[in-house]
Amino acid sequence: MSVAEQATERMVVGATPEQCFAIVNDVERYPDWAADIKQVDVTRRDPSGRPLEVAWRAAAFGRSTSYTLVYDYSGAPRTIAWRQINGDLTTKLDGAYTFDDAGEGRTQVTYVLEVELRVPLPGFIKRRAQSRIMHIALEDLRARVESSLTT
């Protein structure tokens, strides 16, 4: 079994923490702007109507992968966290976005991701893939958030 490794990436986005949270929490729109996300199905919502259990299909490692995440809003609206409850390539895909006010209508977004694969890969390959996934996710998020302010 592969060992889970946690990685953290940060990026400053030209929007408020509330605007960033709203985009991240709108999971059904991810296929519109997140390059690797192919399909999203919200299978359960919390009493406030927020996505609680979400089935995802994404491009990863040169193929399609499916996984189901359960969301935790206990730190909302500063943090949105999730943990994987099912997955075909991963046994763990747990993470969180944290939104910290960076002043002047900007937000520092921190993305933490812990990944454990079903098939062992050398650590450096796994770390490179994890870093790429996180960097692209943050770049896509920044582009989506900042473009949503001009439309």
Side-chain angles (χ1 to χ4, degrees):
M1 180 180 280
S2 178
V3 175
E5 293 186 29
Q6 182 173 306
T8 303
E9 295 240 352
R10 291 177 179 82
M11 181 175 286
V12 174
V13 175
T16 66
E18 295 79 14
Q19 290 165 323
C20 293
F21 179 89
I23 296 292
V24 167
N25 196 42
D26 188 9
V27 297
E28 286 123 330
R29 300 286 303 268
Y30 275 47
D32 296 344
W33 59 268
D36 292 337
I37 303 301
K38 305 304 177 197
Q39 184 176 345
V40 177
D41 293 310
V42 176
T43 56
R44 201 163 43 112
R45 295 184 181 275
D46 72 5
S48 299
R50 300 176 294 198
L52 187 60
E53 187 174 293
V54 180
W56 297 82
R57 191 170 59 78
F61 303 107
R63 61 167 281 199
S64 180
T65 182
S66 298
Y67 51 90
T68 302
L69 305 178
V70 172
Y71 286 82
D72 174 2
Y73 295 98
S74 61
R78 182 175 181 263
T79 300
I80 183 170
W82 60 88
R83 66 180 173 77
Q84 178 181 304
I85 58 169
N86 189 14
D88 59 0
L89 292 181
T90 53
T91 57
K92 180 178 263 190
L93 193 63
D94 300 355
Y97 280 109
T98 301
F99 311 103
D100 291 308
D101 191 332
E104 300 176 7
R106 297 178 312 136
T107 300
Q108 178 170 286
V109 179
T110 303
Y111 184 12
V112 177
L113 187 63
E114 190 172 2
V115 177
E116 187 173 303
L117 299 171
R118 291 194 182 278
V119 178
L121 286 178
F124 76 95
I125 293 174
K126 188 169 130 182
R127 284 187 296 279
R128 186 179 304 146
Q130 191 173 19
S131 177
R132 179 186 174 279
I133 290 165
M134 295 177 74
H135 183 75
I136 289 170
L138 284 173
E139 286 289 344
D140 287 353
L141 174 62
R142 176 169 55 192
R144 175 62 175 195
V145 170
E146 291 178 355
S147 73
S148 74
L149 299 176
T150 60
T151 57

